[in-house]
Amino acid sequence: MTTHRIRVGIDVGGTFTDAVAVDATTLQLVGQVKVPTSHHHEDGVAHGIVEALDRLLRQTGHAPTDVAFLAHGTTQATNALLEGDVATVGLLGIGTGPAAFLTRRLASLAKLELTPGKRLPLLYAHIPDPDDEHAVRAAVEQAKDAGAQALVASEPFGVDRPEGEQAVAAAGRAAGLPTTAAHEITSLYGLRKRTRTAVVNAAILPRMLATADLVDTSITKAGVTAPLMVMRCDGGVMSLDEMRRRPLLTVLSGPAAGVAGALMQERVSEGVFLETGGTSTDISVVRRGKVAVRHATILGRTSYLNALDVRTVGIGGGSMVRLGNGRITGVGPRSAHIAGLPYACFATPDDLRDATPATVRPMPGDAADHVVVDAAGGRFAITLTCAANALGRVPEGDFAHADPAVARAALAPLAAVLGVDVATAATRILDKGIAQVKTVVDTLIREYRLDTDAAVLVGGGGGAASVTPHLAEMTGMQGRIAAHSEVISPIGVALALIREQVERIVPGATQEQILAVRAEAEQAVVAQGAAADGVQVEVTVDPQTHAVRAVATGATELRTQDRAHRTDETERLHLAAASLKTDPSHVQVLAGTPAHTVYGADTSRRFRPDRHPVRIVDADGVVRHHAADATVAATTVGQAPEVLARLVTEATSYGDGGVRAPAVRLLLGSRIADLSGVLDPQPLLALARSELRSRAADEPVVAVLEARR
């Protein structure tokens, strides 16, 4: 049975706004449209969003009330910072004595450079006592009269004692200015970094508030009753109200949307996602079923903004080939798009008649070594996509597909200059260009310690086929192009889960404090519309920094996917064997729940006898987790606390580095509860009990434990 309701994802890019409709039950793509991004319309990008939604509903035959979920991703915040189009911020420092000395130094944040020669417009006013209402009002008016369009209140130790920042922020809002208290943006210590993050948030606040109001009004007027969500930079979505409070979370959300699509649609649990456009490739990591996130660098400084760890390489489908001394010296970073030239492989045979090779200077200041062909139909660029098509690497139906015969004809003049056949010339082009991508991929695999036996390369974006297949061949890794790769970003927006992260510095955190942080994150996503029964929370406790971090995710509705294809036992066994790189006869079922099966390899074969490799495979045949060495125990909810206590005690190590409990994952119902972020045995067991609470005593539970060496 399917449903008529749909999930809509809209990705607002610099040039085009892409929208997709995904069936809310099967999660299959049912429609897609593209409209120009409406930067110069009186309603701004909101107009393009509504236009895309209207076209999408007409194309799919749905009514606005059929929309069960609506989210959009936008580059507006990123572009505002890149272009220096920000509001003037009034920074209100709080404190007396040594505290005043620290906050007055924050005035130097005005030196932050937005673009070459343009600095962050920042005004500073000081408030000795936040309880002095007259002094607070005077400072607010001083900043407002000087031209401040948004305010930030910051005080040393405001994380622990927020009352001062709260009082000043209330006065700012009463004066009609959007105001941010620094502790509301992050609860981590570090006055300067915390304030800098809050100031950047405030700088884009007025513009983002105006856009949010326009989009909200337009969507409501269109008849959509589903709450509007906005893409975050860490791969999740947030409510519009949350975006109004922390618009900074939308910065760098473009690449995050593509990874969310790979994670949800492609069900990647371990691998590298490469989103390739015409000019560049964004490279990011999925590890143990989660996107890799780190504190982002904004305006040349580290911040407390948790964003996708994405590395960008100047190689895309349109990257031009460079020639020197009779050999290929490079590919990119200049693309045919920037040079204003069509790809040679997309020409017609008549266009390429009498083609002769030449080298040009695409833009002033570029080297005059970029290869083109001058032919009857004009001038054409030789690109990475031309080489991939010449070798037949781009499948039919792909966004970047061209007739291989035409691509070979386009490369023939260059091959003659090189003194090789066309296939060799095409291979050399791909080798040269994709070597740059491979360097970054190798670095990410090493940094994140990806399991290379299980990791896959997944290509997205319109230029995916020009990079990912050849990279897979170079590395020997499994590679594939995502379904509907050209719209993987809006698909990611449509499928993304509500996400919230709560982070606290708690030296010597107790079980109660850790559980309190967990509960706060869980309540935050529920408050934004997530179904309470489906919320998952991952908790990490860092014994070195004393940071307690809880990341909660949840869907706006409990989704029981009616997929067209569910794998049977034999299929899952073969998939596990392929991941374990052994024969299916050497694989055995260790445990299982209705949603997951745990497989292990016969260690008397190719594996070390002291290691027990494990794979967890879901009902769709996706390897959801892989462990090089794990202990597996099947039990019930009622017996689990006693069983876990014994297993954790046995697997906990003690040494100079402190106590290290095993990494624990629990298979419960339809999900995998990841408790691997906690090193202390007692808080770990407390978190396990919180996961088991409210479940029936006879419900099956599978524990997978990995000892930390």
Side-chain angles (χ1 to χ4, degrees):
M1 178 179 178
T2 60
T3 177
H4 195 57
R5 289 169 69 75
I6 55 173
R7 296 173 67 89
V8 174
I10 303 175
D11 183 47
V12 183
T15 305
F16 291 103
T17 294
D18 290 298
V20 300
V22 174
D23 187 285
T25 297
T26 65
L27 304 187
Q28 298 299 306
L29 183 70
V30 294
Q32 63 185 82
V33 300
K34 182 188 293 284
V35 302
T37 298
S38 52
H39 293 295
H40 304 298
H41 191 274
E42 61 181 352
D43 289 341
V45 298
H47 176 76
I49 290 173
V50 175
E51 182 183 1
L53 175 63
D54 180 62
R55 289 193 189 182
L56 189 67
L57 293 176
R58 282 191 279 113
Q59 181 195 92
T60 60
H62 286 83
T65 51
D66 293 329
V67 178
F69 175 91
L70 174 62
H72 81 279
T74 175
T75 59
Q76 190 172 24
T78 304
N79 292 343
L81 293 175
L82 290 174
E83 297 164 9
D85 185 12
V86 299
T88 299
V89 178
L91 174 56
L92 306 178
I94 306 167
T96 59
F101 172 75
L102 293 172
T103 50
R104 288 185 190 279
R105 292 180 62 184
L106 297 173
S108 64
L109 291 175
K111 296 178 181 178
L112 282 174
E113 193 172 59
L114 294 167
T115 59
K118 186 172 183 179
R119 298 188 182 279
L120 178 73
L122 182 75
L123 307 167
Y124 182 84
H126 194 77
I127 301 171
D129 182 1
D131 293 327
D132 184 342
E133 294 182 6
H134 176 75
V136 171
R137 282 197 301 271
V140 169
E141 291 303 322
Q142 175 188 337
K144 187 175 182 179
D145 292 344
Q149 299 163 282
L151 301 177
V152 170
S154 184
E155 181 179 18
F157 306 107
V159 170
D160 297 321
R161 299 192 299 272
E163 296 81 11
E165 289 184 2
Q166 289 169 344
V168 173
R173 291 167 186 142
L177 290 177
T179 305
T180 298
H183 76 274
E184 294 173 342
I185 302 301
T186 175
S187 295
L188 296 179
Y189 293 150
L191 176 65
R192 189 172 186 84
K193 186 183 289 190
R194 184 171 73 249
T195 305
R196 183 169 63 239
T197 306
V199 163
V200 175
N201 183 79
I204 60 175
L205 196 52
R207 181 174 177 179
M208 297 299 287
L209 285 174
T211 298
D213 291 341
L214 280 170
V215 174
D216 194 19
T217 301
S218 300
I219 293 297
T220 302
K221 192 180 297 183
V224 175
T225 56
L228 179 63
M229 298 286 170
V230 184
M231 194 73 196
R232 294 165 52 115
C233 54
D234 57 10
V237 292
M238 59 183 167
S239 68
L240 200 61
D241 284 343
E242 191 59 34
M243 194 278 276
R244 288 186 174 103
R245 189 169 74 90
R246 294 184 291 171
L248 188 61
L249 288 174
T250 67
V251 172
L252 307 175
S253 61
V259 180
L263 196 62
M264 299 295 289
Q265 175 187 273
E266 297 296 314
R267 309 291 300 278
V268 180
S269 61
E270 190 97 349
V272 178
F273 177 67
L274 305 104
E275 186 162 15
T276 304
T279 304
S280 62
T281 296
D282 290 331
I283 307 170
S284 46
V285 165
V286 175
R287 183 175 185 271
R288 305 290 174 94
K290 303 178 186 67
V291 295
V293 172
R294 66 176 179 178
H295 286 157
T297 298
I298 299 177
L299 304 183
R301 301 286 190 278
T302 57
S303 70
Y304 280 140
L305 174 68
N306 287 294
L308 179 78
D309 183 2
V310 59
R311 317 284 171 92
T312 301
V313 181
I315 290 293
S319 294
M320 295 179 68
V321 177
R322 304 175 69 176
L323 184 70
N325 297 323
R327 63 186 181 87
I328 295 170
T329 58
V331 178
R334 184 66 70 210
S335 73
H337 304 268
I338 302 300
L341 294 171
Y343 294 20
C345 59
F346 294 137
T348 66
D350 282 345
D351 287 335
L352 293 176
R353 195 165 25 87
D354 302 324
T356 58
T359 54
V360 301
R361 193 187 311 273
M363 300 290 288
D366 288 348
D369 61 355
H370 293 69
V371 180
V372 298
V373 290
D374 289 319
R379 173 167 285 178
F380 301 91
I382 300 298
T383 67
L384 206 64
T385 297
C386 297
N389 275 291
L391 289 178
R393 293 279 167 79
V394 187
E396 283 193 43
D398 188 272
F399 187 78
H401 178 73
D403 184 339
V406 173
R408 288 192 291 270
L411 259 61
L414 173 60
V417 172
L418 298 174
V420 298
D421 59 27
V422 170
T424 301
T427 301
R428 288 183 183 179
I429 291 170
L430 291 172
D431 284 346
K432 198 72 174 180
I434 293 169
Q436 301 172 57
V437 179
K438 181 178 182 298
T439 297
V440 176
V441 169
D442 289 344
T443 299
L444 285 168
I445 289 173
R446 185 172 60 254
E447 286 183 7
Y448 285 97
R449 300 180 181 179
L450 295 187
D451 181 349
T452 53
D453 281 345
V456 297
L457 301 171
V458 179
S466 63
V467 170
T468 301
H470 196 73
L471 178 63
E473 184 173 286
M474 291 176 74
T475 60
M477 294 175 64
Q478 178 188 347
R480 67 174 184 265
I481 300 170
H484 314 294
S485 62
E486 74 280 8
V487 287
I488 192 68
S489 287
I491 288 174
V493 176
L495 298 180
L497 301 173
I498 298 174
R499 180 181 172 111
E500 187 57 77
Q501 176 168 308
V502 175
E503 201 165 12
R504 299 277 184 271
I505 300 296
V506 190
T510 63
Q511 296 178 34
E512 292 73 17
Q513 289 171 315
I514 294 171
L515 290 172
V517 173
R518 181 194 185 283
E520 185 178 347
E522 183 176 17
Q523 291 161 11
V525 295
V526 171
Q528 294 181 61
D533 291 347
V535 174
Q536 298 188 41
V537 186
E538 179 189 353
V539 177
T540 303
V541 181
D542 189 328
Q544 294 183 320
T545 63
H546 306 293
V548 180
R549 181 184 305 111
V551 178
T553 54
T556 52
E557 79 279 41
L558 290 178
R559 293 182 291 178
T560 54
Q561 299 165 22
D562 180 22
R563 291 183 176 271
H565 175 69
R566 289 266 169 154
T567 54
D568 59 25
E569 293 179 7
T570 301
E571 288 178 286
R572 291 195 294 274
L573 178 67
H574 279 78
L575 288 164
S579 179
L580 288 162
K581 297 200 165 156
T582 190
D583 188 89
S585 63
H586 302 157
V587 177
Q588 55 188 326
V589 174
L590 302 179
T593 66
H596 297 94
T597 308
V598 185
Y599 296 92
D602 182 349
T603 56
S604 66
R605 306 286 177 172
R606 61 180 290 269
F607 298 96
R608 286 173 47 181
D610 60 333
R611 294 291 179 97
H612 302 87
V614 161
R615 299 293 185 265
I616 301 174
V617 182
D618 70 12
D620 292 322
V622 178
V623 178
R624 303 297 297 178
H625 180 69
H626 23 80
D629 184 23
T631 298
V632 178
T635 181
T636 62
V637 167
Q639 297 174 336
E642 181 181 346
V643 171
L644 282 172
R646 175 177 55 79
L647 292 173
V648 168
T649 298
E650 292 173 353
T652 297
S653 61
Y654 301 84
D656 294 339
V659 180
R660 294 175 66 83
V664 175
R665 290 169 178 82
L666 300 179
L667 276 57
L668 287 163
S670 62
R671 63 192 184 91
I672 302 173
D674 188 346
L675 310 179
S676 62
V678 182
L679 296 176
D680 190 311
Q682 295 312 311
L684 168 62
L685 293 171
L687 283 168
R689 289 193 295 272
S690 72
E691 293 287 350
L692 298 168
R693 193 178 300 126
S694 79
R695 291 182 174 271
D698 60 350
E699 182 179 346
V701 179
V702 176
V704 179
L705 295 85
E706 297 172 70
R708 303 182 201 265
R709 290 178 169 81

